[in-house]
Amino acid sequence: MTDAAARLTRREFIEAISAVGVGALGIGWAQAQDGGAGGPDDDRKIRIGVVGGGFGAAFQWHLDPNCVVPAVSDLRRDRCDHLMSTYGCDRPYDSLEELILDDSLDAVAVFTGAPDHVRHCVQVMDTGKHCICAVPAAISLEECEELIAAKERNGVRYMMAETSHYRAPAMLMRQMIQDGLFGEVLYSETEYYHPAKKGSAERQSLWYFNGEPTWRHCYPPMHYITHCTDFVVGVTGERFTAVSCMGRGATVEEDPETADNQYDNPFDSGISIMRTDRGNISRCNRSRIYYAHGERAQWFGESIAAFMPSYAGQPFVIKREGEPDITTLPSYLNLVPEPMRVSSGHGDSHTFITREFILALLQDREPALNVYDAVADTAPGIVAHQSALKGGELLPIPSFDPA
Ligand SMILES: NC(=O)c1ccc[n+]([C@@H]2O[C@H](COP(=O)([O-])OP(=O)(O)OC[C@H]3O[C@@H](n4cnc5c(N)ncnc54)[C@H](O)[C@@H]3O)[C@@H](O)[C@H]2O)c1
């Protein structure tokens, strides 16, 4: 047995993972707990404007003791009202373009549709404000470059709000890898299934608004895989270097709604094999058709493997060679300030995303899921889609990391 975890008894292993705490969240969280910036005596308030009253209304800005929401915006009045009541805010703006002119704001949360992310984030950062944005970071490799350039020229902070990063199994895996309790992840399998099949109410609500197609209509499936890729990029710290992807899709005769779509996208599913910069392999599945649901991963070492719960009934488990299974996850919610200890969707990840962005600004440091991590999560899907369009050709994934 080569992995440290496989050498620990069950009791020692449970003690080791029970001691897992702020380490799973980063050094800034430990500093805040020790009374540094962002600690209980820090009464500063970050002033954040929130744009996008769908998913953007599902975060805990109003519960963070170091944050206030003075302004919100959505093009839709009903969603703007929803943002105001959620975040206790009385200053609505008609659009992001107007909100970003409000000089009282330190930061803006961008929760508009994916094709608008880079344009909106660049606009935010060009006013000198920090920016947190929903996934994916970008929809083309050129946009990845534009995003990084805007962050760098303005010297502001950028974070991508990837929920997989703060699911408890991902936090535990990140800590175990850092502490040498897992060893090298030689192979991983990740998947994101969210069915919206022909004729379903789910497709109707995601694909159309007032009878018009939304940005989600026929959106290329591999352009939305950060929920998967972050289970590697955000857990082992690896970068993806190459991908081969097979796409599948219904014909226009089988699914006439897909005709002449805005992305010219023929696929509803993609299955990809990716290589990492440490020579390991990951398989990433994404589908809006399969009869399956959820965002999950399983990670394999030489004598240890970890499995997230699945739609099919697989429970959370860590299997170790010659040792009993580990089936309990640590609880992390006690690490956020007391008012933020709420059930928050996507495996309770929202409250950690909220706190990490605010803590990073208070501590004047890069957040988790910074612009380079965000692009490392996003670009593999953009290249995977190109590969699928070329029948599965193995394509290199460019690095956007600073030299
Ligand atoms: N688990 C996750 O991480 C997760 C889950 C759901 C959604 N998302 C992401 O969150 C984002 C929002 O998702 P959604 O489902 O709410 O999408 P949506 O399309 O329903 O909502 C986007 C909102 O942005 C508003 N908007 C667009 N341009 C604007 C502008 N210039 N000024 C003001 N408002 C503007 C629209 O009116 C709309 O209400 C998407 O990018 C999506 O990919 C992520």
Side-chain angles (χ1 to χ4, degrees):
M1 284 183 238
T2 53
D3 297 325
R7 291 195 297 270
L8 299 179
T9 66
R10 179 185 165 80
R11 186 180 54 77
E12 288 167 336
F13 188 80
I14 287 175
E15 278 171 9
I17 67 170
S18 301
V20 163
V22 281
L25 291 156
I27 188 73
W29 290 65
Q31 287 168 357
Q33 276 216 329
D34 290 345
D41 297 330
D42 189 340
D43 58 6
R44 290 175 293 162
K45 305 270 188 207
I46 300 295
R47 297 168 63 81
I48 192 166
V50 181
V51 182
F55 188 55
F59 287 77
Q60 285 66 46
W61 309 112
H62 56 310
L63 302 180
D64 189 313
N66 295 111
C67 181
V68 285
V69 183
V72 296
S73 176
D74 197 293
L75 301 177
R76 283 171 52 179
R77 186 66 220 189
D78 60 327
R79 287 192 157 184
C80 211
D81 290 346
H82 180 49
L83 282 169
M84 285 199 289
S85 66
T86 301
Y87 294 130
C89 165
D90 58 10
R91 200 184 310 158
Y93 285 100
D94 287 339
S95 69
L96 172 138
E97 289 73 9
E98 290 174 41
L99 176 138
I100 60 175
L101 301 177
D102 184 333
D103 286 335
S104 77
L105 300 175
D106 303 308
V108 177
V110 176
F111 285 84
T112 55
D116 291 327
H117 285 171
V118 168
R119 182 167 57 86
H120 285 160
C121 291
V122 169
Q123 285 177 301
V124 168
M125 292 190 280
D126 279 346
T127 64
K129 296 176 181 64
H130 307 293
C131 184
I132 180 169
C133 182
V135 304
I139 60 167
S140 69
L141 298 180
E142 295 72 28
E143 276 199 352
C144 291
E145 282 173 3
E146 275 177 52
L147 186 70
I148 292 172
K151 181 258 184 296
E152 289 181 346
R153 75 171 166 266
N154 290 298
V156 292
R157 308 291 179 195
Y158 167 94
M159 178 175 175
M160 183 177 77
E162 175 46 63
T163 44
S164 288
H165 196 78
Y166 291 107
R167 285 179 180 271
M171 285 197 258
L172 175 60
M173 278 296 294
R174 188 152 57 242
Q175 184 68 48
M176 285 176 60
I177 289 167
Q178 278 169 28
D179 290 352
L181 289 171
F182 198 96
E184 185 80 354
V185 175
L186 304 173
Y187 174 60
S188 55
E189 296 177 345
T190 66
E191 57 203 30
Y192 171 33
Y193 301 131
H194 185 156
K197 66 179 177 181
K198 188 169 80 172
S200 67
E202 188 71 357
R203 177 184 284 193
Q204 193 59 35
S205 76
L206 291 173
W207 279 22
Y208 302 98
F209 178 64
N210 283 345
E212 294 298 317
T214 68
W215 66 269
R216 290 185 193 272
H217 181 271
C218 290
Y219 190 76
M222 297 311 279
H223 277 202
Y224 209 107
I225 61 161
T226 60
H227 295 338
C228 298
T229 47
D230 199 71
F231 284 134
V232 178
V233 172
V235 166
T236 71
E238 285 163 281
R239 299 304 204 210
F240 289 111
T241 57
V243 58
S244 167
C245 180
M246 304 285 270
R248 81 122 263 158
T251 62
V252 170
E253 288 71 35
E254 289 164 339
D255 192 350
E257 278 174 285
T258 61
D260 302 325
N261 70 73
Q262 59 194 312
Y263 304 107
D264 214 7
N265 166 44
F267 306 125
D268 53 46
S269 310
I271 306 296
S272 65
I273 300 290
M274 300 187 192
R275 166 92 50 200
T276 78
D277 58 355
R278 290 211 293 266
N280 299 314
I281 296 170
S282 189
R283 188 269 284 141
C284 166
N285 288 11
R286 166 81 182 97
S287 177
R288 57 174 153 78
I289 290 295
Y290 302 158
Y291 183 55
H293 210 290
E295 301 150 26
R296 65 179 293 276
Q298 42 205 44
W299 299 269
F300 300 86
E302 257 187 11
S303 46
I304 183 166
F307 300 79
M308 283 176 69
S310 84
Y311 179 68
Q314 161 80 56
F316 168 75
V317 64
I318 299 174
K319 309 283 290 184
R320 297 179 303 149
E321 191 175 77
E323 295 289 342
D325 296 347
I326 305 294
T327 55
T328 40
L329 275 166
S331 168
Y332 295 99
L333 265 187
N334 63 334
L335 300 175
V336 294
E338 202 276 331
M340 302 183 78
R341 293 175 199 163
V342 293
S343 177
S344 65
H346 296 90
D348 286 341
S349 59
H350 300 191
T351 196
F352 294 101
I353 291 171
T354 310
R355 185 62 182 159
E356 168 62 12
F357 186 60
I358 296 302
L359 259 190
L361 298 187
L362 293 169
Q363 296 175 342
D364 195 19
R365 63 168 170 83
E366 283 292 300
L369 294 157
N370 67 32
V371 77
Y372 305 105
D373 299 330
V375 164
D377 274 350
T378 302
I382 295 167
V383 180
H385 183 65
Q386 293 169 355
S387 166
L389 289 172
K390 295 180 177 181
E393 188 178 323
L394 181 69
L395 296 177
I397 300 168
S399 165
F400 293 89
D401 288 330

PDB file of all heavy atoms in Angstrom, residues 42-63:
ATOM      1  N   ASP A  42     -13.901  42.249  12.840  1.00  0.00           N
ATOM      2  CA  ASP A  42     -13.812  43.059  11.618  1.00  0.00           C
ATOM      3  C   ASP A  42     -15.220  43.509  11.246  1.00  0.00           C
ATOM      4  O   ASP A  42     -16.054  42.694  10.838  1.00  0.00           O
ATOM      5  CB  ASP A  42     -13.197  42.210  10.495  1.00  0.00           C
ATOM      6  CG  ASP A  42     -12.862  43.039   9.260  1.00  0.00           C
ATOM      7  OD1 ASP A  42     -13.420  44.147   9.118  1.00  0.00           O
ATOM      8  OD2 ASP A  42     -12.038  42.571   8.448  1.00  0.00           O
ATOM      9  N   ASP A  43     -15.519  44.803  11.403  1.00  0.00           N
ATOM     10  CA  ASP A  43     -16.894  45.249  11.113  1.00  0.00           C
ATOM     11  C   ASP A  43     -17.004  45.978   9.780  1.00  0.00           C
ATOM     12  O   ASP A  43     -17.991  46.670   9.513  1.00  0.00           O
ATOM     13  CB  ASP A  43     -17.444  46.111  12.257  1.00  0.00           C
ATOM     14  CG  ASP A  43     -16.566  47.324  12.524  1.00  0.00           C
ATOM     15  OD1 ASP A  43     -15.605  47.545  11.740  1.00  0.00           O
ATOM     16  OD2 ASP A  43     -16.841  48.060  13.498  1.00  0.00           O
ATOM     17  N   ARG A  44     -16.021  45.813   8.906  1.00  0.00           N
ATOM     18  CA  ARG A  44     -16.119  46.436   7.580  1.00  0.00           C
ATOM     19  C   ARG A  44     -17.234  45.767   6.767  1.00  0.00           C
ATOM     20  O   ARG A  44     -17.545  44.606   6.981  1.00  0.00           O
ATOM     21  CB  ARG A  44     -14.784  46.291   6.831  1.00  0.00           C
ATOM     22  CG  ARG A  44     -13.665  47.157   7.413  1.00  0.00           C
ATOM     23  CD  ARG A  44     -12.364  46.872   6.702  1.00  0.00           C
ATOM     24  NE  ARG A  44     -11.889  45.520   6.970  1.00  0.00           N
ATOM     25  CZ  ARG A  44     -10.968  44.886   6.222  1.00  0.00           C
ATOM     26  NH1 ARG A  44     -10.433  45.485   5.171  1.00  0.00           N
ATOM     27  NH2 ARG A  44     -10.579  43.667   6.546  1.00  0.00           N
ATOM     28  N   LYS A  45     -17.790  46.527   5.836  1.00  0.00           N
ATOM     29  CA  LYS A  45     -18.857  45.988   4.969  1.00  0.00           C
ATOM     30  C   LYS A  45     -18.456  46.174   3.510  1.00  0.00           C
ATOM     31  O   LYS A  45     -18.178  47.302   3.073  1.00  0.00           O
ATOM     32  CB  LYS A  45     -20.172  46.754   5.184  1.00  0.00           C
ATOM     33  CG  LYS A  45     -20.649  46.809   6.624  1.00  0.00           C
ATOM     34  CD  LYS A  45     -21.556  45.645   6.946  1.00  0.00           C
ATOM     35  CE  LYS A  45     -22.181  45.830   8.329  1.00  0.00           C
ATOM     36  NZ  LYS A  45     -22.528  44.540   8.954  1.00  0.00           N
ATOM     37  N   ILE A  46     -18.444  45.095   2.769  1.00  0.00           N
ATOM     38  CA  ILE A  46     -18.264  45.167   1.313  1.00  0.00           C
ATOM     39  C   ILE A  46     -19.630  45.491   0.704  1.00  0.00           C
ATOM     40  O   ILE A  46     -20.643  44.870   1.054  1.00  0.00           O
ATOM     41  CB  ILE A  46     -17.750  43.819   0.751  1.00  0.00           C
ATOM     42  CG1 ILE A  46     -16.403  43.435   1.377  1.00  0.00           C
ATOM     43  CG2 ILE A  46     -17.688  43.865  -0.781  1.00  0.00           C
ATOM     44  CD1 ILE A  46     -15.247  44.345   1.051  1.00  0.00           C
ATOM     45  N   ARG A  47     -19.646  46.459  -0.205  1.00  0.00           N
ATOM     46  CA  ARG A  47     -20.918  46.895  -0.820  1.00  0.00           C
ATOM     47  C   ARG A  47     -21.011  46.261  -2.209  1.00  0.00           C
ATOM     48  O   ARG A  47     -20.261  46.618  -3.121  1.00  0.00           O
ATOM     49  CB  ARG A  47     -20.948  48.417  -0.898  1.00  0.00           C
ATOM     50  CG  ARG A  47     -20.914  49.067   0.498  1.00  0.00           C
ATOM     51  CD  ARG A  47     -20.662  50.555   0.418  1.00  0.00           C
ATOM     52  NE  ARG A  47     -21.718  51.270  -0.283  1.00  0.00           N
ATOM     53  CZ  ARG A  47     -22.879  51.633   0.256  1.00  0.00           C
ATOM     54  NH1 ARG A  47     -23.120  51.391   1.521  1.00  0.00           N
ATOM     55  NH2 ARG A  47     -23.789  52.264  -0.451  1.00  0.00           N
ATOM     56  N   ILE A  48     -21.912  45.310  -2.332  1.00  0.00           N
ATOM     57  CA  ILE A  48     -22.008  44.553  -3.592  1.00  0.00           C
ATOM     58  C   ILE A  48     -23.354  44.804  -4.279  1.00  0.00           C
ATOM     59  O   ILE A  48     -24.399  44.822  -3.623  1.00  0.00           O
ATOM     60  CB  ILE A  48     -21.772  43.036  -3.337  1.00  0.00           C
ATOM     61  CG1 ILE A  48     -21.563  42.283  -4.655  1.00  0.00           C
ATOM     62  CG2 ILE A  48     -22.897  42.400  -2.540  1.00  0.00           C
ATOM     63  CD1 ILE A  48     -20.993  40.887  -4.489  1.00  0.00           C
ATOM     64  N   GLY A  49     -23.302  45.022  -5.589  1.00  0.00           N
ATOM     65  CA  GLY A  49     -24.520  45.112  -6.386  1.00  0.00           C
ATOM     66  C   GLY A  49     -24.766  43.757  -7.022  1.00  0.00           C
ATOM     67  O   GLY A  49     -23.815  43.094  -7.458  1.00  0.00           O
ATOM     68  N   VAL A  50     -26.015  43.322  -7.071  1.00  0.00           N
ATOM     69  CA  VAL A  50     -26.333  41.992  -7.616  1.00  0.00           C
ATOM     70  C   VAL A  50     -27.171  42.147  -8.883  1.00  0.00           C
ATOM     71  O   VAL A  50     -28.206  42.827  -8.871  1.00  0.00           O
ATOM     72  CB  VAL A  50     -27.087  41.130  -6.582  1.00  0.00           C
ATOM     73  CG1 VAL A  50     -27.382  39.745  -7.164  1.00  0.00           C
ATOM     74  CG2 VAL A  50     -26.283  41.004  -5.293  1.00  0.00           C
ATOM     75  N   VAL A  51     -26.719  41.498  -9.961  1.00  0.00           N
ATOM     76  CA  VAL A  51     -27.426  41.570 -11.252  1.00  0.00           C
ATOM     77  C   VAL A  51     -27.888  40.166 -11.652  1.00  0.00           C
ATOM     78  O   VAL A  51     -27.070  39.242 -11.716  1.00  0.00           O
ATOM     79  CB  VAL A  51     -26.519  42.142 -12.358  1.00  0.00           C
ATOM     80  CG1 VAL A  51     -27.300  42.254 -13.676  1.00  0.00           C
ATOM     81  CG2 VAL A  51     -25.953  43.494 -11.961  1.00  0.00           C
ATOM     82  N   GLY A  52     -29.161  40.033 -11.950  1.00  0.00           N
ATOM     83  CA  GLY A  52     -29.716  38.741 -12.375  1.00  0.00           C
ATOM     84  C   GLY A  52     -30.515  38.111 -11.247  1.00  0.00           C
ATOM     85  O   GLY A  52     -29.948  37.547 -10.310  1.00  0.00           O
ATOM     86  N   GLY A  53     -31.843  38.216 -11.339  1.00  0.00           N
ATOM     87  CA  GLY A  53     -32.704  37.805 -10.229  1.00  0.00           C
ATOM     88  C   GLY A  53     -33.283  36.409 -10.353  1.00  0.00           C
ATOM     89  O   GLY A  53     -34.276  36.086  -9.708  1.00  0.00           O
ATOM     90  N   GLY A  54     -32.635  35.545 -11.173  1.00  0.00           N
ATOM     91  CA  GLY A  54     -32.988  34.123 -11.161  1.00  0.00           C
ATOM     92  C   GLY A  54     -32.061  33.456 -10.157  1.00  0.00           C
ATOM     93  O   GLY A  54     -32.206  33.597  -8.937  1.00  0.00           O
ATOM     94  N   PHE A  55     -31.047  32.769 -10.678  1.00  0.00           N
ATOM     95  CA  PHE A  55     -30.055  32.119  -9.802  1.00  0.00           C
ATOM     96  C   PHE A  55     -29.342  33.149  -8.912  1.00  0.00           C
ATOM     97  O   PHE A  55     -28.919  32.837  -7.799  1.00  0.00           O
ATOM     98  CB  PHE A  55     -29.043  31.379 -10.673  1.00  0.00           C
ATOM     99  CG  PHE A  55     -28.085  30.513  -9.898  1.00  0.00           C
ATOM    100  CD1 PHE A  55     -28.543  29.550  -9.026  1.00  0.00           C
ATOM    101  CD2 PHE A  55     -26.715  30.664 -10.063  1.00  0.00           C
ATOM    102  CE1 PHE A  55     -27.661  28.742  -8.317  1.00  0.00           C
ATOM    103  CE2 PHE A  55     -25.828  29.870  -9.365  1.00  0.00           C
ATOM    104  CZ  PHE A  55     -26.302  28.901  -8.487  1.00  0.00           C
ATOM    105  N   GLY A  56     -29.250  34.373  -9.386  1.00  0.00           N
ATOM    106  CA  GLY A  56     -28.554  35.419  -8.626  1.00  0.00           C
ATOM    107  C   GLY A  56     -29.225  35.788  -7.315  1.00  0.00           C
ATOM    108  O   GLY A  56     -28.635  36.488  -6.486  1.00  0.00           O
ATOM    109  N   ALA A  57     -30.469  35.320  -7.111  1.00  0.00           N
ATOM    110  CA  ALA A  57     -31.160  35.613  -5.852  1.00  0.00           C
ATOM    111  C   ALA A  57     -30.957  34.494  -4.831  1.00  0.00           C
ATOM    112  O   ALA A  57     -31.601  34.485  -3.785  1.00  0.00           O
ATOM    113  CB  ALA A  57     -32.651  35.813  -6.119  1.00  0.00           C
ATOM    114  N   ALA A  58     -30.046  33.556  -5.127  1.00  0.00           N
ATOM    115  CA  ALA A  58     -29.895  32.373  -4.272  1.00  0.00           C
ATOM    116  C   ALA A  58     -28.603  32.392  -3.457  1.00  0.00           C
ATOM    117  O   ALA A  58     -28.096  31.331  -3.081  1.00  0.00           O
ATOM    118  CB  ALA A  58     -29.966  31.112  -5.135  1.00  0.00           C
ATOM    119  N   PHE A  59     -28.089  33.585  -3.179  1.00  0.00           N
ATOM    120  CA  PHE A  59     -26.841  33.659  -2.401  1.00  0.00           C
ATOM    121  C   PHE A  59     -27.081  34.367  -1.068  1.00  0.00           C
ATOM    122  O   PHE A  59     -28.203  34.806  -0.792  1.00  0.00           O
ATOM    123  CB  PHE A  59     -25.734  34.294  -3.260  1.00  0.00           C
ATOM    124  CG  PHE A  59     -25.277  33.322  -4.317  1.00  0.00           C
ATOM    125  CD1 PHE A  59     -26.034  33.102  -5.455  1.00  0.00           C
ATOM    126  CD2 PHE A  59     -24.139  32.556  -4.123  1.00  0.00           C
ATOM    127  CE1 PHE A  59     -25.663  32.155  -6.394  1.00  0.00           C
ATOM    128  CE2 PHE A  59     -23.754  31.612  -5.056  1.00  0.00           C
ATOM    129  CZ  PHE A  59     -24.515  31.409  -6.200  1.00  0.00           C
ATOM    130  N   GLN A  60     -26.050  34.435  -0.240  1.00  0.00           N
ATOM    131  CA  GLN A  60     -26.255  34.838   1.158  1.00  0.00           C
ATOM    132  C   GLN A  60     -25.597  36.181   1.472  1.00  0.00           C
ATOM    133  O   GLN A  60     -25.158  36.434   2.592  1.00  0.00           O
ATOM    134  CB  GLN A  60     -25.708  33.745   2.098  1.00  0.00           C
ATOM    135  CG  GLN A  60     -26.593  32.514   2.184  1.00  0.00           C
ATOM    136  CD  GLN A  60     -26.665  31.741   0.885  1.00  0.00           C
ATOM    137  OE1 GLN A  60     -25.649  31.491   0.244  1.00  0.00           O
ATOM    138  NE2 GLN A  60     -27.870  31.355   0.495  1.00  0.00           N
ATOM    139  N   TRP A  61     -25.541  37.079   0.478  1.00  0.00           N
ATOM    140  CA  TRP A  61     -24.874  38.379   0.695  1.00  0.00           C
ATOM    141  C   TRP A  61     -25.456  39.104   1.905  1.00  0.00           C
ATOM    142  O   TRP A  61     -24.718  39.694   2.693  1.00  0.00           O
ATOM    143  CB  TRP A  61     -25.029  39.265  -0.553  1.00  0.00           C
ATOM    144  CG  TRP A  61     -24.628  38.579  -1.824  1.00  0.00           C
ATOM    145  CD1 TRP A  61     -25.432  38.197  -2.851  1.00  0.00           C
ATOM    146  CD2 TRP A  61     -23.293  38.170  -2.204  1.00  0.00           C
ATOM    147  NE1 TRP A  61     -24.693  37.570  -3.835  1.00  0.00           N
ATOM    148  CE2 TRP A  61     -23.391  37.543  -3.467  1.00  0.00           C
ATOM    149  CE3 TRP A  61     -22.033  38.264  -1.591  1.00  0.00           C
ATOM    150  CZ2 TRP A  61     -22.280  37.019  -4.138  1.00  0.00           C
ATOM    151  CZ3 TRP A  61     -20.932  37.745  -2.252  1.00  0.00           C
ATOM    152  CH2 TRP A  61     -21.062  37.129  -3.513  1.00  0.00           C
ATOM    153  N   HIS A  62     -26.780  39.055   2.059  1.00  0.00           N
ATOM    154  CA  HIS A  62     -27.467  39.779   3.143  1.00  0.00           C
ATOM    155  C   HIS A  62     -27.232  39.134   4.502  1.00  0.00           C
ATOM    156  O   HIS A  62     -27.515  39.751   5.531  1.00  0.00           O
ATOM    157  CB  HIS A  62     -28.967  39.831   2.841  1.00  0.00           C
ATOM    158  CG  HIS A  62     -29.580  38.465   2.626  1.00  0.00           C
ATOM    159  ND1 HIS A  62     -29.054  37.520   1.767  1.00  0.00           N
ATOM    160  CD2 HIS A  62     -30.673  37.882   3.182  1.00  0.00           C
ATOM    161  CE1 HIS A  62     -29.791  36.430   1.791  1.00  0.00           C
ATOM    162  NE2 HIS A  62     -30.771  36.624   2.638  1.00  0.00           N
ATOM    163  N   LEU A  63     -26.757  37.882   4.515  1.00  0.00           N
ATOM    164  CA  LEU A  63     -26.516  37.196   5.795  1.00  0.00           C
ATOM    165  C   LEU A  63     -25.054  37.291   6.225  1.00  0.00           C
ATOM    166  O   LEU A  63     -24.712  36.934   7.347  1.00  0.00           O
ATOM    167  CB  LEU A  63     -26.918  35.711   5.680  1.00  0.00           C
ATOM    168  CG  LEU A  63     -28.377  35.438   5.280  1.00  0.00           C
ATOM    169  CD1 LEU A  63     -28.645  33.940   5.211  1.00  0.00           C
ATOM    170  CD2 LEU A  63     -29.331  36.110   6.263  1.00  0.00           C
TER     171      LEU A  63
END
